[in-house]
Amino acid sequence: MTKALIYISWPVKAWSIPDAHAAALRERFSDVVFVQTDARDEVRRLIADVDIAFTPALTPESVAAAARLRWVHSPAAAVEGLLPLSDLAARDIIVTNSRGVQAIPIAEHVMGGLLALARRLDRTLAAQREKRWIQNELSDSDKWPWMLHSRRMTIVGLGTIGVEIARRADAFGMHVTGVRKRLDQPSPSFVNRVVGADHLDEALRGCDVLVLSAPGVAATHRMIGAAQLALLNPGAVVVNVARGQVIDTDALCRGLETGLLGGAVLDVFDREPLDESSPLWSLPNVVITPHSSGFRQSHWDEVIALFSDNLRRFQRGERLRNVVDLAAGY
């Protein structure tokens, strides 16, 4: 009989599997034995005789102890918690992820952050709480408010999340350029131009809104620094829903402080929670959210649906969805 380990426990409640969803898996798959733990120190013992691990985090010790392990499914899109991936590759253990599950909420979050900046909603909400009518204050600059329409957006990381962002940006009348590694994939009709990572500088020139949605792997570490930010149009806005390490935070802060950049929408940071001493907290025209762009009520319904489909495929010996390239890391 197939045996599966469920280990999905985080300090963030939204990313920890609810009991009801674990119970739903047991009900759907009566022919699968599920063992579950919330304790990291129990994983090595429990994983010893399972065929499947449904988890975002494994250690080299637990992988070494998993003599029967054949498949790992991450409830997240990122797989950096499954370390090292080379150990899994050496054992021919298949890794799949939940790529695409968070694409729409994150895309909506991006557009919401941009609208908050463009329409100066921070000021109007503050005035609302103070019962102040601020029409003149909202038009006291030739730079604000501004429209998304006709702006040029560059999306670095045109994967499932980037595509959904592009779809919405196009609906707002924006001109979208996508940067992706895999140029053999078809280009969406709502993306005006797609270039490879080797043409990043070209894609950044003349950009009004830079969106980072690339995977957090070695190849993308600090790929956006001072030189890249200088290529953007003056007053451009940077949006990061990728990983904090994709951008040089010091260069980002300098750009915001000097006026080179007009604003930022930041959901991810080098260290989380963001330290209280970070200048990002108090910089004007910055929207900070606590790595919450993927939050929504239906998250676990969709994760469980994807895992269930893959589990049925696994039982039938069929190709699984969302197989991770372990060499690339995504």
Side-chain angles (χ1 to χ4, degrees):
M1 181 174 283
T2 301
K3 191 172 183 180
L5 167 68
I6 301 175
Y7 170 53
I8 311 172
S9 180
W10 290 96
V12 181
K13 182 179 179 181
W15 303 142
S16 297
I17 187 169
D19 292 341
H21 288 81
L25 285 175
R26 293 186 174 91
E27 184 176 344
R28 291 179 194 178
F29 297 95
S30 58
D31 57 341
V32 176
V33 175
F34 288 96
V35 292
Q36 184 176 359
T37 183
D38 294 331
R40 182 184 180 92
D41 56 3
E42 289 186 2
V43 172
R44 185 174 180 180
R45 175 179 62 84
L46 293 175
I47 204 171
D49 62 345
V50 304
D51 306 282
I52 302 162
F54 185 18
T55 180
L58 288 175
T59 64
E61 293 76 20
S62 58
V63 172
R68 283 174 43 183
L69 187 63
R70 292 186 286 156
W71 167 40
V72 178
H73 182 81
S74 171
V79 293
E80 65 256 37
L82 302 173
L83 297 175
L85 293 177
S86 58
D87 285 8
L88 297 168
R91 295 262 307 276
D92 291 324
I93 295 171
I94 299 170
V95 177
T96 57
N97 65 6
S98 298
R99 183 173 65 250
V101 166
Q102 297 177 339
I104 290 176
I106 292 177
E108 291 186 359
H109 184 97
V110 168
M111 302 311 295
L114 288 174
L115 288 171
L117 284 178
R119 306 308 303 170
R120 309 184 86 174
L121 295 183
D122 60 327
R123 295 186 65 173
T124 57
L125 289 171
Q128 176 184 334
R129 287 188 289 269
E130 298 168 1
K131 301 179 182 179
R132 291 189 299 112
W133 193 258
I134 60 167
Q135 279 184 321
N136 287 333
E137 291 179 37
L138 291 176
S139 58
D140 61 2
S141 168
D142 60 357
K143 297 179 180 179
W144 302 87
W146 48 273
M147 296 195 305
L148 301 186
H149 182 80
S150 80
R151 299 282 175 161
R152 303 179 71 86
M153 174 185 283
T154 294
I155 302 173
V156 178
L158 196 65
T160 54
I161 294 171
V163 164
E164 292 300 333
I165 295 169
R167 190 191 309 276
R168 285 152 182 79
D170 175 70
F172 274 90
M174 303 184 78
H175 183 284
V176 181
T177 295
V179 180
R180 65 167 26 149
K181 178 181 178 181
R182 296 166 179 165
L183 292 177
D184 56 327
Q185 297 180 356
S187 299
S189 60
F190 42 83
V191 176
N192 301 89
R193 181 176 58 146
V194 178
V195 301
D198 55 338
H199 288 82
L200 175 63
D201 286 1
E202 174 190 341
L204 296 178
R205 290 190 180 93
C207 168
D208 299 301
V209 177
L210 169 60
V211 179
L212 305 176
S213 55
V217 295
T220 63
H221 187 80
R222 298 289 186 266
M223 69 184 304
I224 303 296
Q228 289 72 36
L229 294 177
L231 297 174
L232 307 178
N233 276 344
V237 172
V238 174
V239 181
N240 192 0
V241 289
R243 286 291 185 266
Q245 294 76 18
V246 172
I247 190 168
D248 182 332
T249 302
D250 290 339
L252 174 64
C253 288
R254 285 195 298 273
L256 291 165
E257 290 167 343
T258 61
L260 172 70
L261 299 175
V265 179
L266 307 173
D267 188 53
V268 290
F269 306 90
D270 287 314
R271 295 183 62 182
E272 297 179 3
L274 180 62
D275 193 274
E276 292 181 5
S277 64
S278 171
L280 290 169
W281 286 113
S282 55
L283 283 171
N285 302 331
V286 175
V287 175
I288 290 176
T289 53
H291 205 147
S292 58
S293 60
F295 285 11
R296 81 277 190 203
Q297 292 176 330
S298 62
H299 172 76
W300 283 105
D301 294 338
E302 296 174 37
V303 171
I304 294 302
L306 173 59
F307 177 69
S308 296
D309 180 44
N310 259 352
L311 182 48
R312 294 186 188 98
R313 291 167 181 257
F314 181 82
Q315 291 176 318
R316 295 192 296 260
E318 298 174 358
R319 178 173 173 79
L320 304 183
R321 293 167 56 191
N322 289 3
V323 174
V324 173
D325 180 339
L326 297 181
Y330 59 93

